[in-house]
Amino acid sequence: MIRSIPNPPMDRDDVARFRRELEKHLRGEYTPEERREFEQRKVRAEANAKRIIKNSGGKNPILGY
């Protein structure tokens, strides 16, 4: 489980990088390589979810159904 850190330590570079990435996301300005990486990540996540549900007797262990 990912812990919530209310005030993570960040310096100016971290803030600038976050803002650049947020702007890039909002505008959808990704390179073809980044788009392929996102698609591969999505495919892997869907395959893992199906495998987990299959191993849980067809039920979603997080939602309970």
Side-chain angles (χ1 to χ4, degrees), residues 23-61:
E23 183 178 353
K24 190 176 187 180
H25 173 75
L26 292 175
R27 292 178 187 226
E29 297 174 346
Y30 294 111
T31 64
E33 182 179 317
E34 289 172 324
R35 290 185 191 276
R36 275 194 304 275
E37 184 180 319
F38 293 150
E39 186 61 33
Q40 289 172 348
R41 188 181 310 160
K42 181 180 174 185
V43 169
R44 276 196 318 265
E46 289 173 354
N48 286 335
K50 286 179 183 178
R51 188 179 58 192
I52 290 169
I53 291 172
K54 181 179 149 199
N55 289 338
S56 298
K59 295 183 179 181
N60 186 325

Side-chain angles (χ1 to χ4, degrees), residues 14-29:
D14 292 331
V15 174
R17 187 178 327 109
F18 171 78
R19 288 183 176 160
R20 276 194 313 272
E21 291 299 319
L22 179 61
E23 183 178 353
K24 190 176 187 180
H25 173 75
L26 292 175
R27 292 178 187 226
E29 297 174 346

Side-chain angles (χ1 to χ4, degrees), residues 1 8 10 26 45 54 61 65:
M1 181 176 206
M10 297 179 78
L26 292 175
K54 181 179 149 199
Y65 59 85

